[in-house]
Amino acid sequence: MATILETAASVGVFNTLLAAVDAAGLREALESPGPFTVLAPVDDAFAALPPGTVQTLVDNPPQLARILKYHVIAGRHLRNELITQEAWDSLEGAPIAIRSTDPFEVKNATVVTADVECDNGVVHVINRVILPG
Amino acid sequence: MTLLLLLLIPVVVACGLPLLPAESPWVRRLALLAALAQMSVGLLAWRTPPADLSVSWLPKLGLRLDLGLDGLSLPLVLLAALITAMAVLATPVGQSRPRLFFALLLVTNVGLMGSFLARNALLFVLAYELIMIPTTLLVAIWGGERRAGAAIRFLIYGAVSGITLLAAVLAFGWLNPGGVDFSFTDLAHHNLTLQQQHWLLALVLVAFGLKLPIVPLHGWQPLTYSQAPTPVAMLLSGAVSKLGAYGLLRFGIQFLPDAWSDWSAWIAAVGAVSAIYGALNAIAQLDMRRLVAYSSLGHMGFLVLALAAATPLSLQGMMAQILAHGLIIALLFCLVGLIETKTGTAEIPALSGLLNAQRGLPFTMGLLLLALMAAAGVPGQAGFVAELLVFEGSWVAYPIPTLVCLVSSGFTAVYAVRLFNRVGFGRLDNAKADWASTSWGERVPALVLTALVLVGGIWPALLTGWSEDATAPLALRSSDAVTVIAAAPHTSISELSA
Amino acid sequence: MTTTTAPEPTKAPLIPPSTHRYADVIHRLEAGGSMLPDTPENLKQIIGIYKAYAVPMDFYWRDLLYIAEQVFLNPLPAFKYFISKEYLDRPNSYAGDQSQLRIWRGTEKAHPELLEFMDRGETRRMPKLLHHLWHDRVNMEFAEACMQAMLWHQGMGGRFNDYLESDAYKANADRAIKAYFKGNPLMLGLYKLFPEMVLEQVRQLSYYANLGLFWEVMAPVFFEMSDIYDEGGFKGVPDAMDFLVNGIFAVAGRPIYHHVFIDGECFEIIPKSEGFTWLYEAALPYVEAVFYRTSPFRGTKSYNAQAGQVPANQADFHYGILYADVYPVGSAGIPPTLLMQDVLHFLPPYLKEIYKQHRRGEEDELIQLGITFQRSMYNVTSAVIQALRCALLYPLDDTDPKHLQANRAFFEAQMDRFLRPEARLPDIQTQDYR
């Protein structure tokens, strides 16, 4: 199996996410053994944000890191585990609500593909960028 | 001639008004010009006192057209002319049936002038009665919601007053030992016995007490003043009520001095009661116009107190109070009427925040503040001068009633402050505040009256100068109130300088 | 891209209509509109007032940063409103050619109308000190009152307030305080005696910086809206609101920081690396603290606890612009009236025309523009609500009824805040409210 980032790179729909991870300086952290549960937004999710949003974040690494950390939960949690709790604490600190089990929805994003296993964690592919609050 | 002019001007204009088209602006202008012309003639008369006019009219009845102007009637003539002018100015531009309205105002003016200029008691009664009909019509046609009741009550009280006065005057004439003679010169010789004087004084007190009014004869006043249209309220309270005081001075003090001295303690008490009654009721009112009406009632109490004391100083104070109060009460009714026109209500609980500089009525409220202060007797304005003279003059004669009146004057401040606080300060309700700002045309009468009130406060001669010499000989007590002077029986009116 | 277009009208609605008191407004929000009805006059009014508001705002943000960064802990800041040329020329990050994310097509320096007003005022050209003493200037006191509202209400969301109590902040502040008062034994002694007092002053200054950075964004947004409207780019109120929504998102990630310059050296009291964002640490707390809550104005409410006029619960405070009774305009002790006075100086001619034709014309412009300002702030609040919905919930044209129901619940919860009688939401639905 590959690491989270390698898996993401191989799929091909996470270019924006990977660029953001690099810009935020989180590559090393996500290459570490972890394990992490990553909610990965596809490129279309980033494109759906109003113009300039991503640009502003990319220009400000600490702020970008914060948003990206909100997409990560410590530990390896598969879907069946995630749906047992109402909310999970993200690495950023704010909670991520599990709004629905079937279809599997995390905050206002739908998980299109769950349980993509990697060496240092598991990736769930989501269709929107989630934000704290 | 001047005297006749004073009477003829309003008569001619009143008759001429119906000839104009109803919408013509000249209806209003002519009425105003008439009043202003009267004022000018009055001022001319002050400069060059005219000789008395004496024309035989109905000798069989003893009715002569005797007209004369002395120090007592001159300021009242000027006051009446001024208040008429201000009343015309305070009439809203869209007044219905303007020709009739202004004609009736002018006829009231004729009655007032006739009363003040009369030197014959029967003529006096004639003019006095003349006022009754136009004022009743003015209230009945253009008044507020309850105008019908108000007009009828006003008419009844006024009719009783008129009949009582007629009876008194006829008695005056017939009881004259030298034959039926209604002229003032003759009546001033007061050849009546004490008992006759007592009877006549009772009638005179009732007749003029109904006019002033004083408690307990005041039943018509709050309703009529609050239901009358603003210009009529100004005229009634500012000029017509003063007729009552003038009548008491002439018919009471001048013609019946002995009876008056006997009863003056009671009269003083009535004045004090009237003052307190008026002030306390004013505090309780929720309608601005009724508040001002009761305020007027209270101030009439001071007049009666001053008359009762009848010292030279108090009589001066009485004349000052007549002028000052006439101006102040006309001003108050004018301003309250303006507020009612603009906001649509005179209810105090419904109003607040009118001092708001952008959407309220700041100019009107500013003048209202001055008017209320004047009514409360704050130094620097005419009210203070008048009250000071009245209280100083009456204190030596009747200290207790004077104290009571002083307390009542204190209460005036209470309702003045409460009124201004409720209506002026606080939050203005945006949803209701859709009136236009007052125009300069609407502000003029209030401005003129305020200016006069302020001038009167810092230049008291404006209030007392006209009549000082005329009131002194009428006093029944000396300044230290120890001796009761039998008023000089042989001073004829024409010898009294204006 | 947020497209807040209405769902196709031929489709039947996926969820039943709302039964809330403000159901009309909720349905309008769900269709992509604003709380303010979409009429041409509303659009004209709000754009005009945005532009008139943005000019003094240009001064506010610059002076707020001047005070936070330069004046800092000056014990007698008599000249804190005498902004330096450096700060007047400080480039706005979102305007001008040098901007990396250009929102406004205009200049990055102070707006020319502002400069003209600072020069002349309502009277005439005078030395600045005379303008200041005559109070013929921009009313900076309003900006400070907004800052104080944010400071006083504290935890209105975001991490900013918690950070101000943290050790890292205290250490940073301590360094800056000692550097500022170097060689001043009196003030250093005061700091030793009352460290919390001086720290509280620094916290207040951090809020100055927060508000300054917030308004630095809003000013070019409003200027650009005015320019777009002038060229006919807005077809209605929803368009204007969408511009605001896009603007909010575009700048959401802007860092919020507090840097102080003491003797040329920069002390980072709140460094950018803490990750504070414009959206969470500045905009949302500002809207809550200033639009909704603020504080009861002196002279209008009794502060006597026994009188019970001020709610015991901070969350019940309802003195912000959304609940304001615009009437006491000009009364002492009411900071928004200072803003009205400022806005009065920069009204565009088309707005003056509207005011001349209604109510008392030029006499009560202050009240009329205050009410227009209220309408415009309802529009801004709508933009914030729509932005939150976009960030945390579902698109308006979502086909899943559960999602639409979640949106509906969110909108209803927002409308619940306007159920109290002081809310002006019902008033702004008609054009008569002037």
Side-chain angles (χ1 to χ4, degrees):
Chain A
M1 279 199 294
T3 64
I4 291 174
L5 292 177
E6 283 166 5
T7 314
S10 66
V11 178
V13 292
F14 294 114
N15 298 319
T16 323
L17 177 61
L18 292 168
V21 166
D22 278 331
L26 291 173
R27 175 163 284 270
E28 245 190 75
L30 283 173
E31 290 280 316
S32 71
F36 303 112
T37 308
V38 173
L39 304 164
V42 294
D43 285 340
D44 284 344
F46 282 100
L49 289 172
T53 315
V54 179
Q55 182 62 40
T56 306
L57 286 168
V58 165
D59 288 339
N60 296 289
Q63 283 70 23
L64 178 58
R66 185 174 161 189
I67 300 297
L68 289 177
K69 281 199 222 163
Y70 187 64
H71 289 75
V72 181
I73 307 171
R76 176 193 293 268
H77 306 284
L78 296 170
R79 176 184 176 276
N80 294 337
E81 197 191 336
L82 284 176
I83 61 178
T84 58
Q85 261 184 242
E86 288 224 345
W88 292 83
D89 281 334
S90 66
L91 272 189
E92 187 259 355
I96 304 173
I98 308 291
R99 286 203 193 149
S100 163
T101 51
D102 183 22
F104 184 27
E105 289 182 7
V106 170
K107 276 216 100 173
N108 55 336
T110 313
V111 180
V112 285
T113 312
D115 298 342
V116 179
E117 301 256 12
C118 310
D119 278 339
N120 55 347
V122 62
V123 170
H124 304 281
V125 180
I126 56 178
N127 67 345
R128 295 165 67 81
V129 175
I130 52 174
L131 294 168
Chain B
M1 196 53 221
T2 342
L3 301 173
L4 212 53
L5 254 185
L6 282 171
L7 284 178
L8 281 179
I9 296 175
V11 167
V12 166
V13 175
C15 292
L17 280 181
L19 302 173
L20 293 169
E23 278 78 44
S24 165
W26 278 102
V27 175
R28 196 187 165 92
R29 285 181 201 163
L30 271 180
L32 180 61
L33 282 173
L36 291 176
Q38 258 187 342
M39 266 201 80
S40 328
V41 172
L43 287 169
L44 264 174
W46 170 56
R47 280 270 138 229
T48 47
D52 288 1
L53 181 74
S54 188
V55 175
S56 182
W57 190 351
L58 289 169
K60 280 234 174 66
L61 287 178
L63 177 61
R64 296 181 59 80
L65 189 68
D66 288 336
L67 300 176
L69 201 60
D70 72 351
L72 295 177
S73 39
L74 175 64
L76 286 160
V77 162
L78 290 171
L79 180 70
L82 176 70
I83 302 288
T84 311
M86 294 302 116
V88 170
L89 282 172
T91 315
V93 174
Q95 180 72 283
S96 65
R97 298 204 255 182
R99 294 175 298 179
L100 183 60
F101 185 85
F102 289 119
L104 289 173
L105 274 183
L106 289 173
V107 173
T108 316
N109 180 289
V110 173
L112 279 170
M113 289 299 163
S115 311
F116 292 136
L117 292 172
R119 283 283 165 266
N120 178 300
L122 214 49
L123 181 65
F124 181 89
V125 172
L126 201 64
Y128 187 88
E129 300 270 19
L130 181 60
I131 298 175
M132 209 61 251
I133 299 294
T135 44
T136 310
L137 283 175
L138 283 166
V139 173
I141 303 179
W142 290 276
E145 269 180 20
R146 297 169 60 192
R147 60 185 180 272
I152 291 186
R153 203 190 283 196
F154 181 50
L155 184 61
I156 293 176
Y157 275 80
V160 169
S161 168
I163 291 177
T164 317
L165 183 61
L166 182 62
V169 163
L170 287 176
F172 264 116
W174 292 333
L175 289 175
N176 200 333
V180 175
D181 187 352
F182 291 109
S183 72
F184 278 14
T185 36
D186 198 74
L187 292 176
H189 286 87
H190 37 82
N191 306 313
L192 301 163
T193 67
L194 189 60
Q195 205 193 15
Q196 288 171 327
Q197 285 195 21
H198 278 155
W199 278 107
L200 285 173
L201 185 58
L203 289 175
V204 163
L205 279 173
V206 167
F208 291 117
L210 282 164
K211 199 67 176 180
L212 262 176
I214 49 176
V215 172
L217 305 165
H218 67 287
W220 60 273
Q221 191 239 35
L223 187 61
T224 306
Y225 280 10
S226 59
Q227 296 303 312
T230 306
V232 176
M234 286 168 71
L235 197 56
L236 279 177
S237 61
V240 175
S241 67
K242 307 300 173 282
L243 200 46
Y246 175 77
L248 281 177
L249 184 61
R250 281 264 188 243
F251 289 83
I253 292 185
Q254 195 175 30
F255 300 164
L256 305 167
D258 308 305
W260 186 276
S261 315
D262 273 356
W263 286 0
S264 53
W266 292 104
I267 300 172
V270 165
V273 165
S274 217
I276 283 282
Y277 183 84
L280 287 176
N281 268 286
I283 295 177
Q285 293 308 311
L286 293 176
D287 178 317
M288 280 194 296
R289 311 192 71 182
R290 285 183 75 99
L291 188 148
V292 177
Y294 275 109
S295 163
S296 179
L297 184 60
H299 284 91
M300 292 296 108
F302 301 159
L303 272 180
V304 172
L305 173 69
L307 281 167
T311 66
L313 199 58
S314 81
L315 287 181
Q316 258 192 312
M318 184 213 89
M319 287 306 297
Q321 173 74 328
I322 282 183
L323 287 177
H325 180 263
L327 292 171
I328 294 170
I329 206 74
L331 176 60
L332 278 171
F333 271 114
C334 178
L335 290 168
V336 164
L338 198 53
I339 294 175
E340 191 180 1
T341 314
K342 288 291 170 186
T343 63
T345 176
E347 300 279 325
I348 296 175
L351 293 167
S352 91
L354 290 182
L355 273 171
N356 187 303
Q358 272 89 29
R359 289 229 175 130
L361 295 167
F363 191 90
T364 310
M365 294 307 288
L367 291 184
L368 184 64
L369 180 62
L370 285 173
L372 287 171
M373 283 165 64
V378 170
Q381 299 183 62
F384 172 72
V385 171
E387 285 181 13
L388 179 67
L389 288 171
V390 165
F391 294 148
E392 244 195 87
S394 315
W395 167 260
V396 287
Y398 295 112
I400 309 281
T402 308
L403 269 177
V404 171
C405 283
L406 263 169
V407 169
S408 150
S409 186
F411 285 143
T412 316
V414 172
Y415 62 73
V417 167
R418 280 173 107 235
L419 172 65
F420 198 73
N421 191 20
R422 303 267 164 90
V423 171
F425 295 108
R427 249 193 73 231
L428 184 57
D429 191 346
N430 194 1
K432 298 188 196 152
D434 54 2
W435 53 80
S437 181
T438 45
S439 64
W440 279 106
E442 286 168 330
R443 294 177 186 176
V444 162
L447 265 177
V448 170
L449 289 169
T450 312
L452 285 170
V453 165
L454 288 172
V455 169
I458 53 180
W459 184 42
L462 182 69
L463 302 172
T464 56
W466 321 92
S467 54
E468 253 175 312
D469 302 325
T471 53
L474 293 175
L476 297 179
R477 290 186 179 76
S478 68
S479 301
D480 52 12
V482 170
T483 50
V484 174
I485 305 172
H490 300 288
T491 315
S492 77
I493 306 290
S494 49
E495 288 172 26
L496 293 171
S497 56
Chain C
M1 173 86 74
T2 44
T3 41
T4 43
T5 49
E8 284 135 24
T10 47
K11 264 205 236 146
L14 292 163
I15 50 172
S18 167
T19 51
H20 196 272
R21 194 205 298 178
Y22 295 123
D24 296 337
V25 181
I26 291 175
H27 294 149
R28 198 188 307 139
L29 285 167
E30 287 177 347
S34 162
M35 284 191 277
L36 188 66
D38 182 14
T39 68
E41 190 186 342
N42 270 343
L43 180 63
K44 192 190 252 195
Q45 281 198 13
I46 63 176
I47 299 291
I49 212 78
Y50 284 148
K51 181 255 165 195
Y53 181 26
V55 180
M57 189 192 282
D58 204 15
F59 183 84
Y60 296 154
W61 79 262
R62 291 171 189 279
D63 201 37
L64 284 166
L65 286 177
Y66 175 69
I67 295 173
E69 295 177 358
Q70 301 288 342
V71 176
F72 199 49
L73 284 170
N74 189 339
L76 299 169
F79 296 103
K80 59 181 171 174
Y81 302 157
F82 287 68
I83 193 172
S84 67
K85 182 119 184 31
E86 181 201 338
Y87 275 78
L88 274 179
D89 289 343
R90 175 172 169 140
N92 189 314
S93 316
Y94 300 94
D97 297 323
Q98 43 74 49
S99 160
Q100 289 186 317
L101 179 63
R102 190 173 193 171
I103 296 182
W104 186 38
R105 61 192 79 178
T107 173
E108 73 276 14
K109 302 199 185 154
H111 196 272
E113 273 188 54
L114 172 66
L115 292 173
E116 194 196 322
F117 181 77
M118 286 173 70
D119 191 36
R120 164 155 283 152
E122 286 178 9
T123 50
R124 56 188 180 79
R125 295 196 70 189
M126 284 192 285
K128 252 205 295 187
L129 184 61
L130 288 182
H131 269 301
H132 178 85
L133 292 173
W134 197 251
H135 207 109
D136 187 14
R137 52 180 169 84
V138 172
N139 296 321
M140 191 60 201
E141 289 86 345
F142 166 73
E144 291 188 321
C146 287
M147 178 281 300
Q148 279 160 358
M150 290 176 74
L151 171 68
W152 191 76
H153 279 290
Q154 297 193 322
M156 294 291 99
R159 302 251 167 76
F160 196 79
N161 200 64
D162 292 331
Y163 182 72
L164 295 183
E165 309 288 337
S166 70
D167 292 327
Y169 181 83
K170 287 191 191 151
N172 291 339
D174 178 69
R175 245 178 301 127
I177 294 168
K178 293 218 170 77
Y180 190 83
F181 288 132
K182 191 156 56 181
N184 187 339
L186 178 65
M187 295 308 293
L188 283 175
L190 203 64
Y191 178 44
K192 258 208 183 43
L193 274 176
F194 305 112
E196 269 309 307
M197 179 186 86
V198 186
L199 267 172
E200 193 65 21
Q201 289 297 314
V202 181
R203 290 191 187 105
Q204 184 172 278
L205 289 159
S206 293
Y207 268 104
Y208 268 92
N210 184 322
L211 188 57
L213 293 170
F214 169 71
W215 271 338
E216 182 184 357
V217 171
M218 297 312 295
V221 167
F222 289 148
F223 283 133
E224 183 64 14
M225 287 174 80
S226 173
D227 284 345
I228 294 179
Y229 175 77
D230 286 340
E231 42 184 46
F234 284 140
K235 308 232 174 353
V237 172
D239 275 0
M241 189 193 71
D242 283 344
F243 186 87
L244 280 166
V245 174
N246 288 337
I248 290 173
F249 270 99
V251 193
R254 182 201 194 182
I256 297 295
Y257 55 89
H258 183 193
H259 296 171
V260 180
F261 296 94
I262 302 171
D263 285 334
E265 195 189 334
C266 174
F267 287 80
E268 295 191 2
I269 302 196
I270 302 181
K272 290 188 190 182
S273 57
E274 285 299 325
F276 294 136
T277 58
W278 183 89
L279 180 62
Y280 288 108
E281 274 71 43
L284 293 177
Y286 172 83
V287 169
E288 181 64 34
V290 177
F291 279 15
Y292 285 91
R293 300 194 187 192
T294 321
S295 50
F297 303 127
R298 293 168 289 283
T300 61
K301 293 275 176 221
S302 169
Y303 274 59
N304 182 355
Q306 267 119 19
Q309 285 192 358
V310 175
N313 196 351
Q314 241 173 286
D316 286 333
F317 271 40
H318 51 277
Y319 306 107
I321 187 67
L322 301 175
Y323 301 96
D325 175 16
V326 187
Y327 250 153
V329 168
S331 312
I334 303 181
T337 63
L338 296 172
L339 176 64
M340 301 305 139
Q341 178 71 22
D342 279 335
V343 167
L344 181 67
H345 300 135
F346 305 106
L347 291 173
Y350 56 81
L351 207 50
K352 278 198 189 271
E353 263 312 303
I354 296 182
Y355 295 150
K356 238 194 269 213
Q357 289 160 8
H358 293 106
R359 293 303 183 120
R360 292 210 186 166
E362 287 161 353
E363 276 179 21
D364 67 345
E365 263 180 343
L366 273 176
I367 298 187
Q368 292 199 53
L369 74 82
I371 293 178
T372 304
F373 183 76
Q374 198 167 51
R375 289 178 186 269
S376 74
M377 290 302 118
Y378 264 98
N379 192 46
V380 171
T381 311
S382 307
V384 172
I385 292 176
Q386 293 284 18
L388 278 176
R389 190 244 348 125
C390 182
L392 306 175
L393 287 157
Y394 308 98
L396 293 170
D397 54 3
D398 199 313
T399 47
D400 185 342
K402 278 209 280 6
H403 290 172
L404 289 178
Q405 200 59 48
N407 280 356
R408 163 76 53 85
F410 171 70
F411 285 135
E412 285 187 348
Q414 292 291 335
M415 292 300 109
D416 281 345
R417 300 198 67 179
F418 299 118
L419 286 174
R420 61 181 323 134
E422 297 89 351
R424 298 286 155 186
L425 183 59
D427 293 309
I428 62 165
Q429 304 302 315
T430 70
Q431 217 57 59
D432 297 332
Y433 177 52
R434 295 190 183 277

